[in-house]
Amino acid sequence: MTWLSWLLVALAVLAFVLVALEDVIHLNKAKSTLFIGTLSWLLLFIFSSRESGLTLEALNENLLEIATLWLFLMAAMTFVAYLNAKGMIANLIYRVLPKRIDERALLLLTAAFAFLFSSLADNITASLVSLTLVLSLQLPPEKTRRFAVMTVFAVNSGGVALITGDVTTLMIFLSGKVAIPDLMLLSLPSLVAVIVLALLLMPGLGGAVTIPHERRQTRRSDRLIAAVFLITILATLTGNVLFGIPPLLTFLFGMSVMFMIGHYVERRSEAEERRVLDYIRVIEYDTLLFFLGILLLVGMLKEIGVLAFLTQGYQSLPVWQANYVMGLLSALVDNVPLTAALLKSGIEMQRADWLALTYAAGVGGSLLVIGSAAGIIALAKVRGLTFSGYLRYLPALVLAYSLGFGGAYAMGLLVG
């Protein structure tokens, strides 16, 4: 390795350390990763011994992958931002939940809602909505912590089977490693793992809970846009399976339909309120910029040949064991750069192994409260939830994760 390679690796390590210390140093990870990611490519252009044309070709290839991921997430997050602001999601929760329910049944319903909702929305929104529901119940602190742990695991588990639900799932799909029908197989083992964890968390629960119902008035156009969102998801899945249509194209078309409906409604309404098009400005752009910075960093590491070292773990362990360990590692290292590094390292695996890795990357972060966006949100919102307090549930979480991982690998083997 040259001095430039060592410098770039040091910058990448610094970026990952700054991400891990975000809550300590109060520097947004989007800012640090974007700064170091772009700086790394600038240094690569200036000091690399390669021809600038080859470096430009590598950058353009990397940017194309990033743009596809970025635009898809932007479209999906715009839909969710609109529906959440209009109270459609809260209304759905209160429509499903009874006014009074046993704590054990409520734990299962909370897990089921977080699981299903995270399949349709991004993990951040699913976590915020689910945890807001949990906190509104005003349970004792110990029980609230159990519900929070359940929510984190269910949110991360629900997203792995659909490209709309988890970034790492989308990344693995866009790289051509798995197809949509393959990913659908993950629903069953993921759900079984969630149910197992719920059963493990039930001892000590049993009282009745009164649920406050605060339904908001919605307009016909809001319900129509919600229907467009669901139709877009179904069209994305069926269009890709039947005709090979890229999911990005279908989602951008669905978002354009939402904007057209908004234009029609706004022309006939005199109310002073935010236009539908404006919701594209209120999505979590810091999350999107973080993905941009991270993927630039990983692309740079691929160009200098560092990612080749990542394959050594797969050479010393059976592939399924290495994937299992990667899931455990994602509880300490953000799963987005970890998945990106694996995809760009050139590792060859069978379909069953890619499915198992998809589950591991998506759910492994649940094992520690700092291992996923859902966990970080729970740590910030749930009073009394600490790193050590979450650690008390590690045996149950590892058991549920292991069952889900084994089920994902078995489903892949079953269908060949």
Side-chain angles (χ1 to χ4, degrees), residues 114-149:
F115 182 88
L116 292 173
F117 186 47
S118 67
S119 299
L120 307 177
D122 61 279
N123 285 359
I124 294 175
T125 302
S127 302
L128 287 170
V129 172
S130 302
L131 289 169
T132 299
L133 169 64
V134 169
L135 294 175
S136 71
L137 303 175
Q138 297 183 343
L139 296 169
E142 195 279 330
K143 292 181 179 179
T144 300
R145 285 193 291 270
R146 291 195 198 189
F147 274 76
V149 171

mmCIF file of all heavy atoms in Angstrom, residues 114-149:
data_model
loop_
_atom_site.group_PDB
_atom_site.id
_atom_site.type_symbol
_atom_site.label_atom_id
_atom_site.label_comp_id
_atom_site.label_asym_id
_atom_site.label_seq_id
_atom_site.Cartn_x
_atom_site.Cartn_y
_atom_site.Cartn_z
ATOM 1 N N ALA A 114 -45.240 -2.682 14.184
ATOM 2 C CA ALA A 114 -43.883 -2.233 13.850
ATOM 3 C C ALA A 114 -43.314 -3.063 12.709
ATOM 4 O O ALA A 114 -42.644 -2.541 11.809
ATOM 5 C CB ALA A 114 -42.990 -2.324 15.082
ATOM 6 N N PHE A 115 -43.572 -4.354 12.725
ATOM 7 C CA PHE A 115 -43.085 -5.271 11.686
ATOM 8 C C PHE A 115 -43.672 -4.907 10.325
ATOM 9 O O PHE A 115 -42.952 -4.772 9.329
ATOM 10 C CB PHE A 115 -43.454 -6.706 12.070
ATOM 11 C CG PHE A 115 -42.965 -7.751 11.109
ATOM 12 C CD1 PHE A 115 -41.706 -8.317 11.244
ATOM 13 C CD2 PHE A 115 -43.773 -8.187 10.066
ATOM 14 C CE1 PHE A 115 -41.260 -9.287 10.357
ATOM 15 C CE2 PHE A 115 -43.339 -9.155 9.174
ATOM 16 C CZ PHE A 115 -42.079 -9.712 9.319
ATOM 17 N N LEU A 116 -44.999 -4.743 10.270
ATOM 18 C CA LEU A 116 -45.667 -4.468 9.001
ATOM 19 C C LEU A 116 -45.368 -3.057 8.502
ATOM 20 O O LEU A 116 -45.108 -2.852 7.310
ATOM 21 C CB LEU A 116 -47.181 -4.661 9.165
ATOM 22 C CG LEU A 116 -47.641 -6.095 9.408
ATOM 23 C CD1 LEU A 116 -49.131 -6.130 9.722
ATOM 24 C CD2 LEU A 116 -47.341 -6.973 8.199
ATOM 25 N N PHE A 117 -45.394 -2.088 9.413
ATOM 26 C CA PHE A 117 -45.192 -0.698 8.996
ATOM 27 C C PHE A 117 -43.781 -0.472 8.481
ATOM 28 O O PHE A 117 -43.562 0.278 7.526
ATOM 29 C CB PHE A 117 -45.511 0.238 10.160
ATOM 30 C CG PHE A 117 -45.464 1.696 9.785
ATOM 31 C CD1 PHE A 117 -46.089 2.160 8.635
ATOM 32 C CD2 PHE A 117 -44.794 2.605 10.575
ATOM 33 C CE1 PHE A 117 -46.046 3.495 8.277
ATOM 34 C CE2 PHE A 117 -44.745 3.948 10.230
ATOM 35 C CZ PHE A 117 -45.373 4.392 9.081
ATOM 36 N N SER A 118 -42.802 -1.121 9.096
ATOM 37 C CA SER A 118 -41.416 -0.943 8.659
ATOM 38 C C SER A 118 -41.156 -1.591 7.311
ATOM 39 O O SER A 118 -40.134 -1.322 6.675
ATOM 40 C CB SER A 118 -40.442 -1.504 9.700
ATOM 41 O OG SER A 118 -40.554 -2.911 9.803
ATOM 42 N N SER A 119 -42.053 -2.475 6.870
ATOM 43 C CA SER A 119 -41.918 -3.037 5.524
ATOM 44 C C SER A 119 -42.278 -2.011 4.455
ATOM 45 O O SER A 119 -41.809 -2.082 3.325
ATOM 46 C CB SER A 119 -42.833 -4.263 5.368
ATOM 47 O OG SER A 119 -42.478 -5.269 6.274
ATOM 48 N N LEU A 120 -43.137 -1.040 4.843
ATOM 49 C CA LEU A 120 -43.617 -0.046 3.890
ATOM 50 C C LEU A 120 -42.870 1.274 4.000
ATOM 51 O O LEU A 120 -42.686 1.966 2.997
ATOM 52 C CB LEU A 120 -45.122 0.216 4.115
ATOM 53 C CG LEU A 120 -46.028 -1.023 4.117
ATOM 54 C CD1 LEU A 120 -47.456 -0.613 4.414
ATOM 55 C CD2 LEU A 120 -45.941 -1.746 2.779
ATOM 56 N N ALA A 121 -42.463 1.617 5.215
ATOM 57 C CA ALA A 121 -41.805 2.903 5.443
ATOM 58 C C ALA A 121 -40.347 2.681 5.832
ATOM 59 O O ALA A 121 -39.941 1.561 6.142
ATOM 60 C CB ALA A 121 -42.546 3.674 6.541
ATOM 61 N N ASP A 122 -39.592 3.766 5.849
ATOM 62 C CA ASP A 122 -38.205 3.659 6.293
ATOM 63 C C ASP A 122 -38.169 3.395 7.798
ATOM 64 O O ASP A 122 -39.114 3.696 8.537
ATOM 65 C CB ASP A 122 -37.452 4.946 5.961
ATOM 66 C CG ASP A 122 -38.044 6.164 6.661
ATOM 67 O OD1 ASP A 122 -39.053 6.699 6.144
ATOM 68 O OD2 ASP A 122 -37.530 6.562 7.708
ATOM 69 N N ASN A 123 -37.060 2.845 8.268
ATOM 70 C CA ASN A 123 -36.948 2.438 9.672
ATOM 71 C C ASN A 123 -37.075 3.606 10.643
ATOM 72 O O ASN A 123 -37.575 3.438 11.755
ATOM 73 C CB ASN A 123 -35.608 1.726 9.899
ATOM 74 C CG ASN A 123 -35.605 0.320 9.340
ATOM 75 O OD1 ASN A 123 -36.617 -0.137 8.799
ATOM 76 N ND2 ASN A 123 -34.501 -0.373 9.462
ATOM 77 N N ILE A 124 -36.619 4.770 10.233
ATOM 78 C CA ILE A 124 -36.679 5.926 11.128
ATOM 79 C C ILE A 124 -38.130 6.309 11.406
ATOM 80 O O ILE A 124 -38.545 6.478 12.554
ATOM 81 C CB ILE A 124 -35.905 7.116 10.526
ATOM 82 C CG1 ILE A 124 -34.410 6.790 10.458
ATOM 83 C CG2 ILE A 124 -36.129 8.383 11.338
ATOM 84 C CD1 ILE A 124 -33.580 7.850 9.772
ATOM 85 N N THR A 125 -38.930 6.423 10.343
ATOM 86 C CA THR A 125 -40.333 6.773 10.514
ATOM 87 C C THR A 125 -41.074 5.685 11.281
ATOM 88 O O THR A 125 -41.870 5.971 12.185
ATOM 89 C CB THR A 125 -41.006 6.994 9.148
ATOM 90 O OG1 THR A 125 -40.313 8.016 8.441
ATOM 91 C CG2 THR A 125 -42.462 7.398 9.318
ATOM 92 N N ALA A 126 -40.821 4.422 10.932
ATOM 93 C CA ALA A 126 -41.485 3.312 11.622
ATOM 94 C C ALA A 126 -41.150 3.312 13.108
ATOM 95 O O ALA A 126 -42.017 3.065 13.958
ATOM 96 C CB ALA A 126 -41.080 1.983 10.986
ATOM 97 N N SER A 127 -39.898 3.606 13.436
ATOM 98 C CA SER A 127 -39.483 3.640 14.841
ATOM 99 C C SER A 127 -40.159 4.785 15.589
ATOM 100 O O SER A 127 -40.659 4.612 16.708
ATOM 101 C CB SER A 127 -37.960 3.785 14.940
ATOM 102 O OG SER A 127 -37.315 2.727 14.279
ATOM 103 N N LEU A 128 -40.164 5.965 14.981
ATOM 104 C CA LEU A 128 -40.766 7.127 15.629
ATOM 105 C C LEU A 128 -42.250 6.914 15.902
ATOM 106 O O LEU A 128 -42.746 7.189 17.009
ATOM 107 C CB LEU A 128 -40.567 8.374 14.759
ATOM 108 C CG LEU A 128 -39.144 8.947 14.712
ATOM 109 C CD1 LEU A 128 -39.037 10.021 13.644
ATOM 110 C CD2 LEU A 128 -38.764 9.512 16.068
ATOM 111 N N VAL A 129 -42.972 6.406 14.908
ATOM 112 C CA VAL A 129 -44.414 6.194 15.065
ATOM 113 C C VAL A 129 -44.693 5.110 16.108
ATOM 114 O O VAL A 129 -45.539 5.270 16.987
ATOM 115 C CB VAL A 129 -45.051 5.829 13.714
ATOM 116 C CG1 VAL A 129 -46.507 5.421 13.898
ATOM 117 C CG2 VAL A 129 -44.960 6.996 12.746
ATOM 118 N N SER A 130 -43.962 3.997 16.028
ATOM 119 C CA SER A 130 -44.191 2.882 16.946
ATOM 120 C C SER A 130 -43.847 3.267 18.386
ATOM 121 O O SER A 130 -44.573 2.932 19.332
ATOM 122 C CB SER A 130 -43.368 1.664 16.514
ATOM 123 O OG SER A 130 -43.683 1.269 15.199
ATOM 124 N N LEU A 131 -42.732 3.972 18.575
ATOM 125 C CA LEU A 131 -42.331 4.365 19.926
ATOM 126 C C LEU A 131 -43.244 5.442 20.493
ATOM 127 O O LEU A 131 -43.471 5.497 21.712
ATOM 128 C CB LEU A 131 -40.880 4.852 19.923
ATOM 129 C CG LEU A 131 -39.834 3.752 19.710
ATOM 130 C CD1 LEU A 131 -38.457 4.345 19.462
ATOM 131 C CD2 LEU A 131 -39.791 2.811 20.919
ATOM 132 N N THR A 132 -43.776 6.297 19.640
ATOM 133 C CA THR A 132 -44.759 7.279 20.107
ATOM 134 C C THR A 132 -45.992 6.573 20.657
ATOM 135 O O THR A 132 -46.551 6.969 21.690
ATOM 136 C CB THR A 132 -45.158 8.223 18.956
ATOM 137 O OG1 THR A 132 -44.000 8.928 18.509
ATOM 138 C CG2 THR A 132 -46.208 9.221 19.415
ATOM 139 N N LEU A 133 -46.405 5.509 19.989
ATOM 140 C CA LEU A 133 -47.523 4.700 20.482
ATOM 141 C C LEU A 133 -47.179 4.085 21.835
ATOM 142 O O LEU A 133 -47.981 4.138 22.780
ATOM 143 C CB LEU A 133 -47.861 3.602 19.472
ATOM 144 C CG LEU A 133 -48.824 2.510 19.960
ATOM 145 C CD1 LEU A 133 -50.190 3.108 20.256
ATOM 146 C CD2 LEU A 133 -48.930 1.391 18.932
ATOM 147 N N VAL A 134 -45.987 3.514 21.954
ATOM 148 C CA VAL A 134 -45.570 2.878 23.205
ATOM 149 C C VAL A 134 -45.565 3.886 24.353
ATOM 150 O O VAL A 134 -46.070 3.617 25.451
ATOM 151 C CB VAL A 134 -44.175 2.233 23.040
ATOM 152 C CG1 VAL A 134 -43.614 1.811 24.393
ATOM 153 C CG2 VAL A 134 -44.253 1.036 22.100
ATOM 154 N N LEU A 135 -45.009 5.075 24.118
ATOM 155 C CA LEU A 135 -44.908 6.081 25.173
ATOM 156 C C LEU A 135 -46.277 6.633 25.573
ATOM 157 O O LEU A 135 -46.479 7.037 26.725
ATOM 158 C CB LEU A 135 -43.991 7.219 24.724
ATOM 159 C CG LEU A 135 -42.520 6.834 24.531
ATOM 160 C CD1 LEU A 135 -41.729 7.999 23.959
ATOM 161 C CD2 LEU A 135 -41.902 6.379 25.846
ATOM 162 N N SER A 136 -47.227 6.640 24.630
ATOM 163 C CA SER A 136 -48.566 7.138 24.952
ATOM 164 C C SER A 136 -49.305 6.211 25.909
ATOM 165 O O SER A 136 -50.294 6.625 26.537
ATOM 166 C CB SER A 136 -49.383 7.309 23.661
ATOM 167 O OG SER A 136 -49.729 6.047 23.103
ATOM 168 N N LEU A 137 -48.841 4.977 26.052
ATOM 169 C CA LEU A 137 -49.505 4.016 26.938
ATOM 170 C C LEU A 137 -49.203 4.294 28.408
ATOM 171 O O LEU A 137 -49.926 3.814 29.281
ATOM 172 C CB LEU A 137 -49.055 2.589 26.584
ATOM 173 C CG LEU A 137 -49.287 2.162 25.138
ATOM 174 C CD1 LEU A 137 -48.695 0.780 24.898
ATOM 175 C CD2 LEU A 137 -50.776 2.166 24.805
ATOM 176 N N GLN A 138 -48.112 5.039 28.682
ATOM 177 C CA GLN A 138 -47.723 5.400 30.047
ATOM 178 C C GLN A 138 -47.610 4.166 30.952
ATOM 179 O O GLN A 138 -48.143 4.125 32.058
ATOM 180 C CB GLN A 138 -48.713 6.407 30.630
ATOM 181 C CG GLN A 138 -48.742 7.716 29.868
ATOM 182 C CD GLN A 138 -49.664 8.747 30.474
ATOM 183 O OE1 GLN A 138 -50.526 8.430 31.287
ATOM 184 N NE2 GLN A 138 -49.490 9.999 30.076
ATOM 185 N N LEU A 139 -46.880 3.178 30.462
ATOM 186 C CA LEU A 139 -46.633 1.960 31.234
ATOM 187 C C LEU A 139 -45.528 2.214 32.256
ATOM 188 O O LEU A 139 -44.772 3.180 32.139
ATOM 189 C CB LEU A 139 -46.217 0.823 30.289
ATOM 190 C CG LEU A 139 -47.250 0.358 29.269
ATOM 191 C CD1 LEU A 139 -46.595 -0.564 28.244
ATOM 192 C CD2 LEU A 139 -48.414 -0.346 29.951
ATOM 193 N N PRO A 140 -45.380 1.347 33.259
ATOM 194 C CA PRO A 140 -44.246 1.456 34.185
ATOM 195 C C PRO A 140 -42.931 1.379 33.411
ATOM 196 O O PRO A 140 -42.855 0.752 32.344
ATOM 197 C CB PRO A 140 -44.426 0.246 35.114
ATOM 198 C CG PRO A 140 -45.877 -0.061 35.053
ATOM 199 C CD PRO A 140 -46.310 0.284 33.658
ATOM 200 N N PRO A 141 -41.863 2.012 33.928
ATOM 201 C CA PRO A 141 -40.580 2.090 33.187
ATOM 202 C C PRO A 141 -40.053 0.746 32.708
ATOM 203 O O PRO A 141 -39.591 0.623 31.562
ATOM 204 C CB PRO A 141 -39.633 2.731 34.210
ATOM 205 C CG PRO A 141 -40.528 3.531 35.088
ATOM 206 C CD PRO A 141 -41.813 2.760 35.188
ATOM 207 N N GLU A 142 -40.115 -0.287 33.556
ATOM 208 C CA GLU A 142 -39.563 -1.593 33.170
ATOM 209 C C GLU A 142 -40.341 -2.187 31.997
ATOM 210 O O GLU A 142 -39.762 -2.758 31.075
ATOM 211 C CB GLU A 142 -39.582 -2.532 34.376
ATOM 212 C CG GLU A 142 -38.709 -3.781 34.225
ATOM 213 C CD GLU A 142 -39.380 -4.890 33.421
ATOM 214 O OE1 GLU A 142 -40.625 -4.962 33.462
ATOM 215 O OE2 GLU A 142 -38.673 -5.651 32.757
ATOM 216 N N LYS A 143 -41.660 -2.022 32.023
ATOM 217 C CA LYS A 143 -42.488 -2.551 30.934
ATOM 218 C C LYS A 143 -42.291 -1.720 29.668
ATOM 219 O O LYS A 143 -42.282 -2.266 28.552
ATOM 220 C CB LYS A 143 -43.950 -2.576 31.355
ATOM 221 C CG LYS A 143 -44.250 -3.585 32.465
ATOM 222 C CD LYS A 143 -45.720 -3.593 32.831
ATOM 223 C CE LYS A 143 -45.992 -4.638 33.927
ATOM 224 N NZ LYS A 143 -47.412 -4.670 34.327
ATOM 225 N N THR A 144 -42.130 -0.427 29.831
ATOM 226 C CA THR A 144 -41.873 0.433 28.672
ATOM 227 C C THR A 144 -40.586 0.018 27.972
ATOM 228 O O THR A 144 -40.509 0.006 26.737
ATOM 229 C CB THR A 144 -41.786 1.904 29.104
ATOM 230 O OG1 THR A 144 -43.023 2.294 29.702
ATOM 231 C CG2 THR A 144 -41.517 2.808 27.907
ATOM 232 N N ARG A 145 -39.572 -0.328 28.762
ATOM 233 C CA ARG A 145 -38.305 -0.777 28.173
ATOM 234 C C ARG A 145 -38.496 -2.051 27.362
ATOM 235 O O ARG A 145 -37.925 -2.199 26.276
ATOM 236 C CB ARG A 145 -37.257 -0.984 29.263
ATOM 237 C CG ARG A 145 -36.687 0.310 29.823
ATOM 238 C CD ARG A 145 -35.451 0.055 30.658
ATOM 239 N NE ARG A 145 -35.771 -0.648 31.895
ATOM 240 C CZ ARG A 145 -36.088 -0.034 33.034
ATOM 241 N NH1 ARG A 145 -36.151 1.278 33.076
ATOM 242 N NH2 ARG A 145 -36.340 -0.737 34.131
ATOM 243 N N ARG A 146 -39.306 -2.975 27.877
ATOM 244 C CA ARG A 146 -39.573 -4.216 27.121
ATOM 245 C C ARG A 146 -40.258 -3.909 25.793
ATOM 246 O O ARG A 146 -39.911 -4.473 24.750
ATOM 247 C CB ARG A 146 -40.463 -5.148 27.943
ATOM 248 C CG ARG A 146 -39.797 -5.741 29.160
ATOM 249 C CD ARG A 146 -40.625 -6.895 29.669
ATOM 250 N NE ARG A 146 -40.270 -7.216 31.033
ATOM 251 C CZ ARG A 146 -40.694 -8.288 31.683
ATOM 252 N NH1 ARG A 146 -41.508 -9.130 31.063
ATOM 253 N NH2 ARG A 146 -40.345 -8.532 32.920
ATOM 254 N N PHE A 147 -41.246 -3.030 25.832
ATOM 255 C CA PHE A 147 -41.942 -2.662 24.601
ATOM 256 C C PHE A 147 -40.985 -1.972 23.627
ATOM 257 O O PHE A 147 -41.086 -2.173 22.410
ATOM 258 C CB PHE A 147 -43.126 -1.746 24.920
ATOM 259 C CG PHE A 147 -44.393 -2.474 25.262
ATOM 260 C CD1 PHE A 147 -44.563 -3.068 26.500
ATOM 261 C CD2 PHE A 147 -45.421 -2.587 24.338
ATOM 262 C CE1 PHE A 147 -45.727 -3.745 26.823
ATOM 263 C CE2 PHE A 147 -46.597 -3.265 24.639
ATOM 264 C CZ PHE A 147 -46.751 -3.851 25.890
ATOM 265 N N ALA A 148 -40.057 -1.171 24.147
ATOM 266 C CA ALA A 148 -39.090 -0.489 23.284
ATOM 267 C C ALA A 148 -38.149 -1.492 22.621
ATOM 268 O O ALA A 148 -37.849 -1.390 21.420
ATOM 269 C CB ALA A 148 -38.298 0.532 24.096
ATOM 270 N N VAL A 149 -37.659 -2.466 23.401
ATOM 271 C CA VAL A 149 -36.783 -3.514 22.847
ATOM 272 C C VAL A 149 -37.530 -4.293 21.763
ATOM 273 O O VAL A 149 -36.983 -4.575 20.682
ATOM 274 C CB VAL A 149 -36.312 -4.462 23.971
ATOM 275 C CG1 VAL A 149 -35.587 -5.673 23.379
ATOM 276 C CG2 VAL A 149 -35.392 -3.730 24.938
#
